[in-house]
Amino acid sequence: MASVLTHFNEAGDAHMVDVGYKDITKRIATAEGWIHMQPATLELVKQGTAKKGDVIGVARIAAIMGSKRTPDLVPLCHPISLTKVSVDFEISDEEPKIRCEATCETYGKTGVEMEALTAVQVGLLTVYDMLKAVDRGMTMTGIRLLEKQGGKSGHWIAKDRKPTT
């Protein structure tokens, strides 16, 4: 864990970190999150009969769009050129919940963790939006970084995740 909070200068003021001196490297980040719902709500998703349409398809597009808008939402996040964004949804068979996993890639001077996390959150928010008419009690949980690669700090992986490479 870093011992210095890089988004604050010596005076304690928030600032955008200078990444100008960093090397351009391939950077990849993967994040996940869950949305829990009533069993009947999940059935609407499985059967494709939600009133607003293809919940998963729309949420996937929203997640990709969200990743691209991250610096508009997170004030000190650098605008970066994403080279790839993939978003997958997994419907649980054991519990009434849906998992979203997003992976973002770039060649640049700063990482893509925020873009992957934003993609997951926007994807889950879109699922909520499309189903809220039948289930306002849905909850989003477990939004977290699973893995990041590239940059000076190298490869980091969550303790409970198997490496992808």
Side-chain angles (χ1 to χ4, degrees), residues 40-160:
T41 308
L42 187 61
E43 277 305 309
L44 292 174
V45 176
K46 287 180 178 179
Q47 295 173 9
T49 56
K51 188 174 184 179
K52 289 188 176 182
D54 178 7
V55 173
I56 300 298
V58 173
R60 180 175 288 109
I61 297 299
I64 293 167
M65 291 175 66
S67 71
K68 297 190 301 184
R69 300 301 299 228
T70 300
D72 294 331
L73 301 169
V74 181
L76 301 177
C77 191
H78 290 85
I80 61 173
S81 178
L82 292 168
T83 57
K84 181 180 180 185
V85 178
S86 62
V87 179
D88 294 306
F89 288 88
E90 172 188 315
I91 296 174
S92 173
D93 291 325
E94 296 89 41
E95 298 179 50
K97 63 184 182 178
I98 299 172
R99 178 178 177 265
C100 177
E101 180 176 299
T103 300
C104 295
E105 298 183 18
T106 191
Y107 285 87
K109 295 181 174 221
T110 190
V112 289
E113 298 94 85
M114 295 307 298
E115 287 75 10
L117 287 161
T118 300
V120 166
Q121 192 66 67
V122 170
L124 296 175
L125 284 168
T126 301
V127 170
Y128 185 95
D129 180 54
M130 294 188 72
L131 299 170
K132 69 183 180 227
V134 296
D135 187 356
R136 293 195 188 274
M138 291 177 282
T139 58
M140 290 161 265
T141 63
I143 291 103
R144 67 182 183 140
L145 183 67
L146 292 174
E147 187 172 1
K148 63 86 59 197
Q149 299 175 50
K152 187 172 78 173
S153 63
H155 193 175
W156 178 89
I157 188 163
K159 292 179 183 178
D160 60 343

